[in-house]
Amino acid sequence: MMKYHTKLTHWLHESPLAPYADAFSEYLSLNNYSASTVSHYNRCFAHFSYWINTNDIDIHKINEGVIKHFLDEYFSCCISKHKICSDEYHNFHAALNHILIVLRVNSIISFPSAIKSPVDKELKSFDDYMNDVRGLAPRTRHEYLRIIQRLLFERFSNHSVVISMFKPDDVRQFIFNQKNLYTTQSSTGLLISALRGYFRFRKTCGDQVNHLVGVTNFPANWQLSSLPKTLNHDEIECLLKAIEHDSQSDLRMKAMVHCALDLGLRSCEVANLGLDDIDWSNAAIILKKTKSRRVDTLPLPEATGHALADYLKFERPKNLRNRAVFIRHYAPFEKPVDPNIVRQTIHKAYALAGLPYSRSYLLRHTMASRLLETGSSLKEIADVLRHRSLNTTMIYAKLDSRNLVEVALPWPGRTS
């Protein structure tokens, strides 16, 4: 271990980045990163420094492109030697992004230019359209932009975007080239939705795109063909016991699970919940940042209220300027959680309960199923889940065993 540490120290001392090693460590410490994370990021810094020195790269030219070049080259070697782990790439990427911040604060490298390429400008216009006109959720917009960015960059690179240059065969070829990235019906549907959405946007700009829309056909998919997966009564009880009594559980996890299970909140809605959104006197929660962009008010169940109150009283840091309910446990501290952290936390709750599940949306389905069992109508469930269309809620009709029995036809050959 000492030999390895000595080698890293040598790499740093021999690198032109050596004068900024202490500034990098100090920056991480000031942002409350743990000692183990600082140590790991410093090792990433040393590896990058060695690569910079070996390839004779001017530190004043370090930017996002250089970072990507390093990651691609470094991890291609690691993969060939079977030394890569699942999270190592993301750890390196995070560490190197912090290096860029330190170098820019110290005026070693410049901040990204405000000048955008034609493709960047086109993507910005498309994003504004999806946000302002169609009202799509941030995650959906992000996925669409990734797809359209590949489409436009392959065709135009850094030149002006001219939609009339697209031919139907170009679109067909692009869809074919994406087959390794989109292998299921749902993922292929995402690809097609992004393309059709972009061409609809271009149509509002006055372009003739009907011939392009015509070749973006959705894969065969039968609506409402599947059953929504839910937790049964035993699994619900097992989950609630795990987050209530397991010594490894935390109060934030318990509150998140109750928000999803008792209220049917999406991960993004749990993450966006603010202290001012909880009306304690009237036992209600006001949802402002929802997928449908409406302001909705839901009753606050007693179990959910107790879980939130315990977390706010005993675990959430005090005297924060941030008004988000759920705060990160890891650096950067005092920042609100994002939807991915909510999903990971619920996944952890499943693991504590010994349940073989991972998707947080399972709790939303379970909540709808429980409402059905208590006699709620599909319209009432649609209101609670805040669906804009009753057709979205119709899939839960397959779980309504009580009413399905009454309309079931006798088996052929039998009188009843």
Side-chain angles (χ1 to χ4, degrees), residues 198-212:
Y198 175 65
F199 293 143
R200 281 199 298 268
F201 159 65
R202 291 308 312 181
K203 189 171 184 178
T204 64
C205 299
D207 294 299
Q208 297 298 320
V209 293
N210 289 340
H211 59 301
L212 302 178

Side-chain angles (χ1 to χ4, degrees), residues 116-132 141 145 148-149 152 161 198 201:
K116 302 291 186 179
S117 70
V119 170
D120 290 333
K121 293 178 181 178
E122 178 73 0
L123 292 173
K124 177 64 168 60
S125 298
F126 180 44
D127 188 37
D128 290 341
Y129 165 80
M130 291 190 292
N131 182 51
D132 300 335
R141 293 179 3 235
L145 289 172
I148 302 306
Q149 182 182 41
L152 298 180
V161 176
Y198 175 65
F201 159 65

Side-chain angles (χ1 to χ4, degrees), residues 319-368:
N319 302 321
L320 297 182
R321 292 182 180 180
N322 197 308
R323 300 294 292 172
V325 169
F326 296 110
I327 302 298
R328 292 174 58 94
H329 283 172
Y330 302 100
F333 294 102
E334 301 184 3
K335 299 290 185 181
V337 302
D338 58 35
N340 283 331
I341 292 180
V342 177
R343 298 183 191 103
Q344 292 166 8
T345 303
I346 293 176
H347 185 187
K348 181 181 176 182
Y350 291 148
L352 288 175
L355 300 177
Y357 307 121
S358 60
R359 297 181 67 239
S360 60
Y361 219 79
L362 189 64
L363 299 183
R364 184 171 166 87
H365 288 323
T366 301
M367 186 260 197

